[in-house]
Amino acid sequence: MSNKLRYDVIVVGAGPAGLAAATVLAKSGVKVIVIERGRFPGAKNVMGGVFYTDCMKGIVDEFPGKAPVERHVIEERMWLLDDNSHVGITHKNEMFNKEPHNCYTVFRAKLDKWFAGEAEKAGALIINNTVVLEPIVENNKVIGVKTDRPQGDIYANVVIAADGVNSLLSKSLGLRKELKSKDVAIAAKEVIGLNEDIINERFNVKGSEGVTIEITGSFFPGETMGFIYTNKKSVSLGVGMILEDVINSKMNANDLLESMKQHPSIAPLIAGGQTKEFLVHLIPEGGYKEMPKLVMDGFMVVGDAAMMVNSIHREGSNLAITSGRYAAETYLEAAKINDFSENVLKKYIHKLNNSFVIKDLKKYKNLPDLLQKDKRLLQKYPRLLNQAAFELLTVNGIPKKEKEKMIWKTAKKEIGISNMIKDLIKIWRSVK
Amino acid sequence: MIDIGKKDPDKTHYKDIWVFVEQTNGEPQQVSFELLTKARELAEKLNCKIAAVSIGKSVEHIAEEAFKYGADKFYILEDEVFSDYRTEPFRDALSRILIKYKPEIFLIGATTQGRDLSGTVATELKTGLTADTTQQEIDSETGNLMMTRPTFGGSLMATIICPDDRPQMSTVRPGVFKAIPKETPQKGEVIRETVDLKEEDIVKKILKKVVSNEGNINLSFYDVIVAGGKGMGSKENFKMLENLADLLGGTWAGSRKAVELGYVPQSRQVGQTGQTVHPKLYIACGISGAIQHLVGMQSSDIIISVNKDENAPIFDVSTYCIVEDALKFIPKLIDELKQNKKIKTQ
Amino acid sequence: MHALIFIKQVPDASQVRVNYETGTLIREGVPAILNPFEAHAVEEAVRLREKIGGKVSVLTMGPPQATDALKECLSMGADNAYLLSDRVFAGSDTLATSYALYEGARKIIELEGDVDLFFAGKQAIDGDTAQTGPGIATRFGIPLITYLIKLDEVNIDKKYAIATRLTEFGQETVKTPLPAFFTVEETLNELSYAPLPWLIKAAQTEIKRLSSENVELDRNQCGLKHSPTKVKKAFTPEKRQRGETLKGTCNDLAKQASEILLPFVK
Ligand SMILES: Cc1cc2nc3c(=O)[nH]c(=O)nc-3n(C[C@H](O)[C@H](O)[C@H](O)COP(=O)(O)OP(=O)(O)OC[C@H]3O[C@@H](n4cnc5c(N)ncnc54)[C@H](O)[C@@H]3O)c2cc1C
Ligand SMILES: Cc1cc2nc3c(=O)[nH]c(=O)nc-3n(C[C@H](O)[C@H](O)[C@H](O)COP(=O)(O)OP(=O)(O)OC[C@H]3O[C@@H](n4cnc5c(N)ncnc54)[C@H](O)[C@@H]3O)c2cc1C
Ligand SMILES: Nc1ncnc2c1ncn2[C@@H]1O[C@H](COP(=O)(O)O)[C@@H](O)[C@H]1O
């Protein structure tokens, strides 16, 4: 028994959540080991991705410093996409050029690897190429994990599950159920290489300024969301489809991505580009209502594993990092009294409740259900809006007044006034 | 021990093109004659002579053929110690001869033996060596040999020169050049070399030789490769590929999935983690054409693919595309070929 | 027993794409991997160490990022990892590379003790030259055994090894005195899955750095300037186009194909 592998904390998963926890712990002198199944941290991790700076405070203070970020975002567009048109709103703000920048576009393969380097510098031990199979439980208390390596059992005071959307660990502990097809999105993403100047010209930016475009609408089946983000020398383009929509529409994310690339509003942005990478990943979309139980004796769940994704605002990595930090801080407090029971670790939940993490997740808690149930919201409205814009902007001798009347008539026919009012109230309620 | 001597550093003292004639048990390798044929073309540009050199227990009988393919001189080194190829004595003996006669260009076949030998000889001579070349030309301005070779599994070609050091050495893949006998062969001169070497001086001993062991086949020795993938459906079905390969004087191989499924031994896997091959003819049956497979075979001269799926990526690199069930098609093809063969031999 | 393996970090050839417009390789975003042949060399050496004791060192010459490949070797069970990295090596061809590695290896011998078995991969999947190993062996003046497929016996006390290698016509088994130099095939062994404590030890092992500051070098044999071969130009081979699609019934197809194949029929 003497050569048993023992650490203070085992972190499972070297994504943003796990690395944040490990960095904070290691900085305080805690003996922490991170187990990652990928060839290196980030090897298989996928994100759109827009990375928010604020959450790195207290973890890696000098962010971005030498971190591999692509462009800082100064303009955000939102598009409602119809079959051959879009209407959109844009927010571009010179304030976003001020440092510290609000957010950056990033590649996870690079960012996670860098972050892991920071965690190692702080003193964390990162083990790659190793899969955690299950927790080791004794008297309802988690005391370690089993890995797929020979002599692969490790023991610790606390195990932090940062193992992402599929979280084997929280599932096998019964903290959470299998993901339902309505609560998980399949995201496909393609990175399209383009010349830096061409990107600057097409997106009307300069230097390291970047643009994001979030896309939804009747072009997509169901609740699908698409995105386009600018990197230094490439554009990331992707779609996230709720699994249920995949089943119902019989379309998969790859096909959709392909047809999205052909869309007249999008094709010119990527014309002449070369596909450099194609990635697929899951996004937990259940929101607050689907969050698992977050702690038990010797165990905490952080990040995507805990369903902490705010899909409306495409925030995930920042919630992951913040939750990782809280879990680490909770451990430090528990270590002072050498008590790692659920009762003490519950402080982690309090911290979350008092932060933007849970407050934001609560705010949007009904939205996933609403969007899922009500096809009107993402299907009929965008189509109507695109039609309306087209009608109003086409000069063909019909007076504008008459056009408005026609639009209004179609809207009434397609949706009905009472429904429209109901929808407005529903949306307002679900995000208030 | 062989004293290899001291290399002449003055590059202007080097002239003529030399070709290494590789042999096993007195049987010469075809690639050597391919190189002599190519050397004729280069020698014309350089206005120089061609020499062949061979080392073995008994090699003099090869002289006739060497002259037929263009050698003006044939240097031989015969000794009991050279009956089997071993790196060290061959390296030292060959280095000594090259240092003594100072050829400007020295060509070796890129066979297992040629690759083993060339790397050590070039290091002894402290000169450049370009491996696995597929094109050779003389730069008309400088007279340098321009050697072109594929890298990155054939994704990129590089033209390499060795401007300041002599000899300019390169290995050439078998089958890249054609061996064409001279129309009017002339009898050349046989020059006998000797070295003072006894078996006791050689530290490496060959204990056992196994000829053509199935477990470890070198696919690159074949002009024709018939490969199958997962689409072949079973190990038994590979028998038809073997039959087809026999008819075409080639061998059979497989994709990694075929290996994983146990249809094909790993030693016959083509691709990134298998062997890289460049046969004259590659027939791919029931192989989808994943990039990891393509990097191992896409520089084959002719590629014929049989796949049920007309959009299979393998077709994008194929000379001839056959959209058909391989299990139906191959037996028919074998019948046809047998018919034709009969007509041909009649 | 002390084994020294020369390992190289290479771009994953399967993920390198060609830009046909510019005639260059798109290497950006292409993961760098341990050259697959060397993984088997490390595996063999580590198995030998587990059996007869001793230690396994690995050496690479390359840019600082090559530490990733060294770390991979450590987590497979290697004991020491050396990175030989210096500006003077930039642009080395195989002759200059084998020189640099030879000097690096001599330094390792000075630091870690005599080496009994040297290993290199059969070839690197980026350059495909298969010359570096033979070059180093020649510089050491030790027996070279290329295309190793089996290490039948190693006797450190009596200083010999029996090894089986591939030849043109099958295979041969040779007896060689040690130290000797082996270049290995992938069929040498099956990679095994290292135990977790090895990975932990690897993560805590520091990569040792060698450069012109701590290795004695003859600068007249280093780098692009002193490499006899030069790349005159690089270009992409003509992109293969999808060729002719044969038409007709299965019988028709067989007829057409047999016409095409006729010249090959033996
Ligand atoms: C297409 C897409 C776009 C997105 N866009 C954005 C965006 O723009 N901005 C944003 O903030 N968020 C975005 N997100 C969400 C964000 O990526 C996640 O919320 C975030 O990565 C969560 O971090 P995490 O550390 O919890 O999980 P992950 O990043 O998933 O990390 C989990 C880690 O655990 C490892 N692991 C899992 N199981 C095991 C095991 N059994 N043993 C060992 N290791 C294991 C995994 O390999 C992985 O490294 C996006 C997600 C997707 C899919
Ligand atoms: C790191 C790495 C290294 C790899 N190295 C290699 C390598 O060295 N070599 C290699 O080959 N692969 C390698 N692979 C695997 C590679 O990615 C593919 O999975 C593999 O090549 C697919 O083999 P396949 O074409 O036989 O099977 P599949 O991709 O499953 O294709 C089978 C094909 O057969 C067709 N088919 C089915 N039935 C019939 C029929 N009756 N008649 C005609 N056609 C039929 C199908 O349409 C399909 O196209 C590697 C992968 C990785 C990740
Ligand atoms: N830069 C290098 N550092 C260490 N080993 C190398 C290096 N280059 C080549 N090698 C070794 O030599 C073998 C043959 O390489 P190559 O001659 O490039 O085909 C490789 O498989 C490695 O084992």
Side-chain angles (χ1 to χ4, degrees):
Chain A
M1 277 317 236
S2 60
N3 53 4
K4 217 156 98 166
L5 293 172
R6 232 206 118 75
Y7 290 82
D8 295 336
V9 178
I10 300 165
V11 175
V12 182
L19 293 170
T23 310
V24 172
L25 288 167
K27 273 187 177 173
S28 307
V30 174
K31 221 179 133 200
V32 55
I33 184 169
V34 184
I35 306 289
E36 166 59 42
R37 67 177 169 192
R39 214 159 61 78
F40 57 87
K44 286 186 186 145
N45 295 347
V46 184
M47 178 162 118
V50 177
F51 189 83
Y52 295 88
T53 315
D54 186 64
C55 61
M56 291 302 277
K57 268 190 219 142
I59 300 169
V60 180
D61 283 323
E62 265 174 51
F63 189 84
K66 287 204 172 116
V69 293
E70 295 288 315
R71 291 170 183 256
H72 67 277
V73 178
I74 63 146
E75 178 180 335
E76 308 226 10
R77 303 179 191 166
M78 247 168 270
W79 285 3
L80 290 174
L81 208 60
D82 196 1
D83 284 346
N84 39 34
S85 65
H86 75 267
V87 286
I89 47 171
T90 293
H91 180 63
K92 182 171 182 170
N93 197 330
E94 192 51 31
M95 294 297 284
F96 286 136
N97 264 326
K98 282 233 169 68
E99 294 192 41
H101 294 130
N102 177 49
C103 60
Y104 296 91
T105 50
V106 299
F107 286 115
R108 284 287 298 279
K110 288 187 196 162
L111 189 79
D112 289 11
K113 203 172 174 195
W114 164 85
F115 200 172
E118 295 296 309
E120 274 176 332
K121 266 190 237 160
L125 187 62
I126 297 180
I127 303 296
N128 298 312
N129 262 323
T130 304
V131 181
V132 169
L133 300 176
E134 58 185 27
I136 303 174
V137 184
E138 204 177 80
N139 303 328
N140 284 324
K141 185 173 177 303
V142 177
I143 56 164
V145 296
K146 231 181 221 330
T147 69
D148 66 340
R149 292 270 170 192
Q151 303 164 48
D153 294 359
I154 329 171
Y155 298 86
N157 299 329
V158 167
V159 173
I160 298 180
D163 50 349
V165 50
N166 272 320
S167 188
L168 211 76
L169 276 180
S170 44
K171 250 184 272 177
S172 65
L173 287 167
L175 301 183
R176 123 172 180 200
K177 294 184 268 316
E178 279 298 331
L179 286 171
K180 291 190 224 91
S181 60
K182 71 175 181 54
D183 292 329
V184 59
I186 296 182
K189 169 183 157 178
E190 202 169 315
V191 179
I192 297 173
L194 279 170
N195 190 298
E196 210 166 337
D197 297 334
I198 292 183
I199 295 175
N200 288 353
E201 192 187 303
R202 287 186 188 168
F203 288 86
N204 190 25
V205 287
K206 57 185 189 303
S208 67
E209 295 173 348
V211 175
T212 67
I213 310 176
E214 306 293 334
I215 306 165
T216 181
S218 52
F219 177 73
F220 294 136
E223 226 185 297
T224 304
M225 300 269 188
F227 61 82
I228 299 173
Y229 302 145
T230 53
N231 307 308
K232 272 196 191 109
K233 291 181 193 157
S234 63
V235 169
S236 298
L237 183 128
V239 288
M241 267 184 107
I242 300 288
L243 189 54
E244 201 166 83
D245 291 334
V246 176
I247 298 166
N248 292 338
S249 69
K250 299 201 169 58
M251 267 194 101
N252 65 40
N254 303 6
D255 299 342
L256 204 56
L257 194 59
E258 276 311 310
S259 56
M260 183 175 152
K261 280 160 63 184
Q262 313 293 329
H263 191 282
S265 295
I266 295 170
L269 293 176
I270 53 170
Q274 284 232 353
T275 299
K276 289 171 64 180
E277 235 183 317
F278 182 82
L279 302 149
V280 181
H281 205 267
L282 297 179
I283 312 179
E285 299 262 356
Y288 182 73
K289 282 187 175 168
E290 296 297 324
M291 281 178 64
K293 185 166 179 273
L294 294 178
V295 296
M296 64 180 273
D297 287 353
F299 191 74
M300 291 183 267
V301 190
V302 297
D304 273 11
M307 282 264 177
M308 290 184 217
V309 169
N310 181 348
S311 43
I312 300 297
H313 286 261
R314 52 125 214 269
E315 290 177 34
S317 56
N318 55 332
L319 279 66
I321 286 171
T322 307
S323 65
R325 173 159 63 88
Y326 287 151
E329 287 167 5
T330 307
Y331 175 85
L332 295 176
E333 288 167 33
K336 274 187 205 139
I337 50 174
N338 200 21
D339 181 349
F340 306 102
S341 65
E342 180 172 334
N343 247 337
V344 175
L345 297 184
K346 257 190 192 145
K347 283 199 188 134
Y348 166 56
I349 301 177
H350 298 157
K351 287 179 202 283
L352 284 171
N353 283 339
N354 291 327
S355 74
F356 77 96
V357 176
I358 295 296
K359 285 183 181 158
D360 282 358
L361 288 173
K362 265 190 184 158
K363 177 169 157 136
Y364 296 108
K365 69 172 193 278
N366 291 321
L367 202 57
D369 278 346
L370 177 69
L371 293 178
Q372 191 72 32
K373 268 199 220 104
D374 232 320
K375 301 293 177 219
R376 267 206 299 273
L377 296 176
L378 288 177
Q379 293 295 324
K380 284 195 176 157
Y381 285 112
R383 196 174 306 131
L384 269 173
L385 267 169
N386 273 290
Q387 273 171 15
F390 181 69
E391 283 297 332
L392 282 172
L393 298 175
T394 310
V395 177
N396 55 4
I398 303 171
K400 298 283 182 280
K401 185 95 189 170
E402 224 158 279
K403 284 189 174 182
E404 276 173 23
K405 252 194 218 152
M406 266 164 48
I407 294 165
W408 195 228
K409 225 167 93 189
T410 342
K412 273 198 292 198
K413 200 175 103 215
E414 290 233 338
I415 301 174
I417 294 181
S418 62
N419 280 334
M420 275 192 254
I421 294 170
K422 272 191 225 150
D423 287 344
L424 274 174
I425 295 173
K426 271 193 277 186
I427 296 176
W428 185 72
R429 273 209 194 122
S430 75
V431 301
K432 81 166 188 299
Chain B
M1 279 323 246
I2 303 175
D3 175 16
I4 66 165
K6 224 176 145 50
K7 189 187 151 189
D8 184 347
D10 187 342
K11 81 171 205 182
T12 61
H13 295 166
Y14 288 74
K15 60 176 198 306
D16 296 344
I17 301 173
W18 281 44
V19 170
F20 182 68
V21 176
E22 178 183 334
Q23 56 79 38
T24 306
N25 299 329
E27 189 64 42
Q29 278 274 356
Q30 182 67 10
V31 63
S32 312
F33 304 127
E34 294 166 5
L35 293 182
L36 280 170
T37 309
K38 183 70 186 179
R40 271 154 43 203
E41 182 193 315
L42 302 175
E44 207 163 296
K45 293 238 173 71
L46 290 174
N47 195 18
C48 70
K49 295 240 176 293
I50 298 168
V53 56
S54 194
I55 301 173
K57 182 176 159 193
S58 148
V59 293
E60 193 172 354
H61 62 281
I62 305 171
E64 207 60 42
E65 266 186 293
F67 298 142
K68 192 167 92 189
Y69 284 97
D72 301 303
K73 290 178 185 170
F74 189 44
Y75 292 84
I76 59 172
L77 177 52
E78 292 184 332
D79 196 306
E80 195 68 36
V81 294
F82 298 118
S83 26
D84 289 307
Y85 173 77
R86 279 173 295 180
T87 316
E88 295 75 22
F90 271 65
R91 172 194 70 201
D92 293 346
L94 185 57
S95 299
R96 188 177 120 117
I97 295 173
L98 294 173
I99 284 174
K100 184 168 160 196
Y101 291 101
K102 305 178 209 173
E104 186 174 9
I105 292 174
F106 184 50
L107 306 175
I108 307 186
T111 57
T112 311
Q113 194 189 107
R115 284 176 145 222
D116 184 286
L117 182 60
S118 57
T120 57
V121 170
T123 309
E124 286 291 9
L125 299 182
K126 298 281 181 299
T127 190
L129 167 62
T130 307
D132 264 356
T133 55
T134 54
Q135 283 172 47
Q136 307 242 344
E137 272 170 290
I138 301 293
D139 184 340
S140 46
E141 264 171 50
T142 59
N144 284 332
L145 181 63
M146 298 201 291
M147 303 163 273
T148 299
R149 66 178 306 253
T151 57
F152 284 102
S155 316
L156 190 71
M157 304 297 290
T159 302
I160 290 169
I161 50 171
C162 178
D164 305 318
D165 295 270
R166 293 292 179 268
Q168 307 166 77
M169 280 181 64
S170 76
T171 64
V172 179
R173 291 178 179 176
V176 169
F177 303 130
K178 276 209 175 65
I180 307 166
K182 273 171 100 170
E183 274 168 24
T184 48
Q186 263 142 22
K187 198 159 169 49
E189 189 187 347
V190 174
I191 300 148
R192 201 170 275 279
E193 290 293 313
T194 52
V195 290
D196 180 21
L197 192 65
K198 288 183 220 49
E199 182 59 39
E200 303 90 84
D201 299 333
I202 305 172
V203 294
K204 212 161 77 184
K205 306 289 176 200
I206 295 173
L207 304 180
K208 192 170 83 189
K209 283 192 284 184
V210 182
V211 175
S212 177
N213 184 297
E214 254 317 296
N216 297 289
I217 180 164
N218 201 333
L219 296 175
S220 59
F221 298 147
Y222 293 88
D223 284 343
V224 177
I225 295 174
V226 182
K230 187 183 167 202
M232 288 306 292
S234 74
K235 189 173 175 174
E236 288 65 47
N237 289 337
F238 268 77
K239 196 72 205 164
M240 58 173 99
L241 300 188
E242 218 177 317
N243 292 341
L244 179 58
D246 282 347
L247 266 173
L248 301 172
T251 193
W252 56 289
S255 72
R256 172 142 125 185
K257 266 204 192 147
V259 171
E260 280 165 3
L261 290 164
Y263 301 170
V264 180
Q266 208 276 331
S267 54
R268 286 178 180 270
Q269 180 185 318
V270 171
Q272 188 197 347
T273 48
Q275 301 190 41
T276 303
V277 296
H278 331 266
K280 291 187 178 143
L281 171 66
Y282 190 89
I283 305 181
C285 307
I287 293 177
S288 61
I291 182 73
Q292 292 92 347
H293 189 80
L294 298 186
V295 297
M297 46 64 77
Q298 64 190 356
S299 55
S300 307
D301 291 350
I302 300 176
I303 299 173
I304 301 182
S305 300
V306 190
N307 197 305
K308 280 204 287 207
D309 173 7
E310 64 171 326
N311 293 320
I314 189 82
F315 286 138
D316 294 340
V317 301
S318 300
T319 328
Y320 298 102
C321 312
I322 298 170
V323 184
E324 183 53 85
D325 185 338
L327 305 180
K328 283 197 217 136
F329 171 79
I330 301 292
K332 289 221 163 92
L333 175 62
I334 291 175
D335 285 348
E336 281 293 331
L337 284 172
K338 280 188 180 155
Q339 288 282 333
N340 281 335
K341 189 178 173 180
K342 256 191 223 149
I343 300 167
K344 199 174 160 187
T345 48
Q346 264 163 18
Chain C
M1 187 267 320
H2 185 198
L4 173 59
I5 303 141
F6 299 90
I7 67 127
K8 187 174 185 190
Q9 177 158 304
V10 292
D12 186 347
S14 70
Q15 298 200 36
V16 175
R17 302 278 139 79
V18 171
N19 182 340
Y20 285 96
E21 272 156 42
T22 58
T24 50
L25 289 185
I26 305 167
R27 291 175 71 161
E28 200 185 325
V30 174
I33 56 171
L34 172 64
N35 190 38
F37 297 97
E38 280 94 281
H40 295 273
V42 175
E43 174 79 27
E44 195 68 19
V46 166
R47 282 190 198 179
L48 198 60
R49 178 201 63 200
E50 292 300 293
K51 213 165 90 193
I52 64 173
K55 64 181 168 187
V56 176
S57 304
V58 292
L59 166 63
T60 191
M61 178 188 91
Q65 302 89 279
T67 46
D68 285 353
L70 290 170
K71 280 191 189 149
E72 196 171 333
C73 297
L74 286 172
S75 55
M76 291 177 70
D79 301 280
N80 309 298
Y82 286 88
L83 171 70
L84 177 59
S85 193
D86 200 297
R87 276 244 203 55
V88 301
F89 301 130
S92 296
D93 73 350
T94 49
L95 191 73
T97 300
S98 70
Y99 172 70
L101 289 168
Y102 164 71
E103 292 294 359
R106 292 208 318 159
K107 182 73 188 179
I108 293 173
I109 291 170
E110 189 187 312
L111 296 168
E112 306 278 351
D114 283 342
V115 170
D116 307 293
L117 302 105
F118 294 89
F119 293 95
K122 168 175 90 167
Q123 67 194 61
I125 62 169
D126 54 351
D128 285 334
T129 75
Q131 288 165 11
T132 311
I136 305 169
T138 303
R139 289 175 190 275
F140 273 109
I142 56 176
L144 169 68
I145 294 101
T146 47
Y147 308 101
L148 180 74
I149 52 169
K150 190 161 179 249
L151 205 48
D152 303 80
E153 190 188 335
V154 173
N155 192 321
I156 298 295
D157 296 332
K158 299 202 176 115
K159 290 197 175 300
Y160 73 86
I162 296 176
T164 303
R165 63 183 290 267
L166 277 188
T167 66
E168 232 75 33
F169 301 99
Q171 40 178 277
E172 67 186 16
T173 304
V174 297
K175 183 171 176 183
T176 174
L178 295 176
F181 199 110
F182 304 87
T183 76
V184 313
E185 289 277 351
E186 265 180 319
T187 40
L188 177 62
N189 53 41
E190 298 254 334
L191 299 182
S192 54
Y193 207 50
L196 187 60
W198 291 14
L199 272 78
I200 292 175
K201 184 172 162 238
Q204 291 162 335
T205 303
E206 245 184 88
I207 307 274
K208 296 167 199 158
R209 279 160 203 280
L210 302 177
S211 67
S212 58
E213 282 177 14
N214 50 10
V215 177
E216 238 172 85
L217 290 172
D218 169 8
R219 280 172 190 261
N220 289 328
Q221 298 195 50
C222 293
L224 182 65
K225 204 165 152 227
H226 300 105
S227 291
T229 61
K230 319 269 182 225
V231 178
K232 195 172 155 73
K233 66 170 192 241
F235 58 98
T236 48
E238 214 141 281
K239 188 182 178 177
R240 272 196 112 102
Q241 300 287 341
R242 180 173 177 137
E244 185 188 340
T245 304
L246 306 186
K247 294 263 150 55
T249 64
C250 194
N251 283 328
D252 300 341
L253 293 173
K255 281 213 174 67
Q256 293 172 58
S258 85
E259 287 299 317
I260 298 165
L261 294 178
L262 204 53
F264 289 96
V265 173
K266 291 273 148 111

